[in-house]
Amino acid sequence: MTEMADNASPDTHALWQVISATKLGFEPALTIPDRLVHPDSWAGHLPFASWIVAMTQPRRIVELGVHTGNSFCTFAQAVEKYKLEADCFGIDHWFGDEQAGLYGEDVYADLKAWHDPRFGHFSKMLRMSFLDGRSYIEDGSVDLLHIDGLHTYEAVREDFETWVPKMSDRCVVLFHDTNVF
């Protein structure tokens, strides 16, 4: 094993201890995603998505803003691959917005046809607003929350603040597109 530099932070030491303790190391980051469709804006993050699920072993994953499902399906793929007792919820209205663009029913239909036969036994797509989706999720139950909705500061802040009660005491929150120009 490579020696850690003496000037490495305590957080760096703790991270490497977690990675070493799992016996998985970085192997989850080498997983090839089963689903990668256009737009592929999340493609560079998919190895991290698989890795974070394997490392944190969440009991419940919620994604706010699913679109074509690249990240959501990678989370579900990791749950299945690592045989985690977890459920996943992808929440979206599936009609787009001013940043992602508006899109048709075909986006939802394609994702549902691909997702449900593979992951439907533990993963659900909820077609509704993020606020309405809260009623399907128990308080304190979300261990991994991915916020990928409308990419404005105000919208992301509202998503985060309204979902805080749903987060467990070990929740990891992922924010996508935090620096949109």
Side-chain angles (χ1 to χ4, degrees), residues 4-136:
M4 186 76 54
D6 290 337
N7 63 349
S9 74
D11 290 339
T12 300
H13 282 284
L15 175 62
W16 283 105
Q17 286 174 341
V18 167
I19 292 170
S20 298
T22 65
K23 298 182 183 172
L24 293 173
F26 285 105
E27 183 277 330
L30 302 176
T31 301
I32 297 171
D34 291 339
R35 180 175 176 86
L36 182 58
V37 297
H38 182 78
D40 60 358
S41 57
W42 238 85
H45 306 300
L46 296 178
F48 175 75
S50 183
W51 180 85
I52 197 72
V53 170
M55 291 300 109
T56 62
Q57 299 189 3
R59 298 159 296 196
R60 174 160 293 152
I61 299 170
V62 173
E63 178 164 282
L64 305 179
V66 179
H67 196 182
T68 60
N70 288 330
S71 55
F72 184 60
C73 290
T74 299
F75 292 138
Q77 181 181 337
V79 165
E80 193 164 75
K81 179 177 181 174
Y82 297 106
K83 298 174 178 41
L84 303 180
E85 291 187 29
D87 53 15
C88 302
F89 292 90
I91 303 171
D92 203 321
H93 47 63
W94 278 282
F95 53 76
D97 58 46
E98 62 264 18
Q99 286 179 330
L102 300 177
Y103 44 86
E105 182 66 22
D106 58 317
V107 171
Y108 175 75
D110 178 68
L111 174 57
K112 185 167 180 55
W114 194 92
H115 167 275
D116 287 0
R118 290 165 179 82
F119 308 123
H121 56 286
F122 68 89
S123 180
K124 304 291 179 236
M125 295 169 34
L126 303 179
R127 194 168 194 182
M128 59 191 62
S129 71
F130 303 159
L131 285 174
D132 289 343
R134 293 177 68 242
S135 65
Y136 290 83

